[in-house]
Amino acid sequence: MLSHEQIWEAIDRLAERHDLTPSGLARRAGLDPTSFNKSKRLSADGRLRWPSTESIAKVLDATGASMEQFLAFMRPGADSSAELPGERAKLPHGGAIPLLGFAQAGAGGFFDDGGFPAGQGWDVVEFPAAASQKSGVYALEVQGESMMPLYRDGDVLIVEPGAQVRRNDRVVVRTREGEVMAKVLLRQSPRSIELMSLNPEHPNRTLDLSDVEWIARIIWASQ
């Protein structure tokens, strides 16, 4: 059986996993910021208060975590930074992967139809995980200040094409006209995607899926 303590520990660990406080996690999930406060876990007369299934569902949706991963946080001694079920191992051993600048990425000939690296002219960069564990990953070097304050000129973004993207993921999108941009995925429907700009001075974007050549998840950044 699941205990009251295990459920709340899993919520705390999920928050830590995303560098959030319990209040920050509740806010991201669209809940009252005090929903997960320590004071809310017991009633005034000492009775146990449990998070609702609706609250847990909203938290999973907001973080992109699966129920299997949430349950993994309930195990005794679970570490919020440990590898979760369904995630690929993040190994400390390096491996060379293709590197391209954002400006080059807008040109033709560097990607196949699925957004995987192809063609000639790529440099290479060391990635601190075995490249064999992340088939098809590549790196894009940030150029300019359009992604400030999150990413600066010269930062390297590691991109995994083909990976499932979820709400609030940081992604790289390439349009059919050759525009390449790094954004946060706010919403995806069968016909369009809504993207939030990393730089508040740049507007958010809504794109028809028919205008999107590919979208890939950012899995790591050198900063």
Side-chain angles (χ1 to χ4, degrees), residues 22-33:
S23 294
L25 179 63
R27 189 178 294 107
R28 176 179 289 189
L31 302 170
D32 185 300

Side-chain angles (χ1 to χ4, degrees), residues 8 16 21 44 46 48 50 57 60 65-66 84 122 132-133 152 165 171-172 179 186 195-196 202 204 208 217 222:
W8 284 113
E16 291 175 4
T21 63
L48 303 180
W50 298 69
L60 297 183
S66 66
L84 294 175
W122 294 81
S132 61
Q133 299 294 315
R152 295 173 170 79
V165 293
V171 297
V172 172
E179 183 182 5
L186 289 181
L195 303 168
M196 181 177 71
H202 290 252
N204 294 346
D208 291 339
R217 183 159 57 94
S222 67

Side-chain angles (χ1 to χ4, degrees), residues 1-13 50-51 70-71 73-76:
M1 277 185 74
L2 300 179
S3 71
H4 176 267
E5 182 181 8
Q6 285 176 314
I7 290 284
W8 284 113
E9 282 186 356
I11 288 175
D12 289 341
R13 288 167 180 160
W50 298 69
F70 184 75
L71 292 174
F73 281 135
M74 298 184 191
R75 296 171 186 160

Side-chain angles (χ1 to χ4, degrees), residues 3-221:
S3 71
H4 176 267
E5 182 181 8
Q6 285 176 314
I7 290 284
W8 284 113
E9 282 186 356
I11 288 175
D12 289 341
R13 288 167 180 160
L14 185 60
E16 291 175 4
R17 181 79 169 193
H18 293 273
D19 298 320
L20 297 169
T21 63
S23 294
L25 179 63
R27 189 178 294 107
R28 176 179 289 189
L31 302 170
D32 185 300
T34 65
S35 298
F36 299 151
N37 286 4
K38 302 284 187 183
S39 61
K40 293 291 187 74
R41 303 180 186 188
L42 293 173
S43 64
D45 59 3
R47 288 180 298 167
L48 303 180
R49 282 182 173 170
W50 298 69
S52 69
T53 53
E54 181 183 11
S55 294
I56 293 174
K58 287 183 176 181
V59 162
L60 297 183
D61 181 59
T63 59
S66 66
M67 179 57 74
E68 183 183 15
Q69 292 168 348
F70 184 75
L71 292 174
F73 281 135
M74 298 184 191
R75 296 171 186 160
D79 183 350
S80 62
S81 63
E83 180 188 344
L84 294 175
E87 288 186 335
R88 299 190 182 188
K90 296 179 181 178
L91 304 178
H93 308 293
I97 61 173
L99 169 68
L100 199 67
F102 262 78
Q104 290 175 289
F110 288 104
F111 302 97
D112 64 15
D113 292 340
F116 287 83
Q120 304 296 318
W122 294 81
D123 290 327
V124 295
V125 65
E126 290 296 313
F127 176 42
S132 61
Q133 299 294 315
K134 294 282 188 183
S135 177
V137 297
Y138 58 89
L140 292 174
E141 184 177 1
V142 174
Q143 297 165 330
E145 308 299 330
S146 64
M147 302 175 202
M148 290 277 286
L150 191 58
Y151 301 131
R152 295 173 170 79
D153 186 60
D155 287 346
V156 173
L157 310 182
I158 307 299
V159 175
E160 184 177 11
Q164 181 179 1
V165 293
R166 300 182 177 93
R167 180 181 171 189
N168 294 321
D169 279 349
R170 295 171 187 171
V171 297
V172 172
V173 177
R174 188 180 194 274
T175 69
R176 297 196 183 280
E177 294 183 352
E179 183 182 5
V180 180
M181 64 195 88
K183 304 282 186 182
V184 175
L185 179 64
L186 289 181
R187 191 173 291 104
Q188 181 170 352
S189 73
R191 294 184 178 181
S192 65
I193 57 172
E194 295 181 30
L195 303 168
M196 181 177 71
S197 292
L198 304 173
N199 188 328
E201 295 183 1
H202 290 252
N204 294 346
R205 299 282 297 273
T206 298
L207 299 173
D208 291 339
L209 282 180
S210 60
D211 295 330
V212 175
E213 186 168 335
W214 50 256
I215 179 171
R217 183 159 57 94
I218 298 172
I219 60 171
W220 189 82

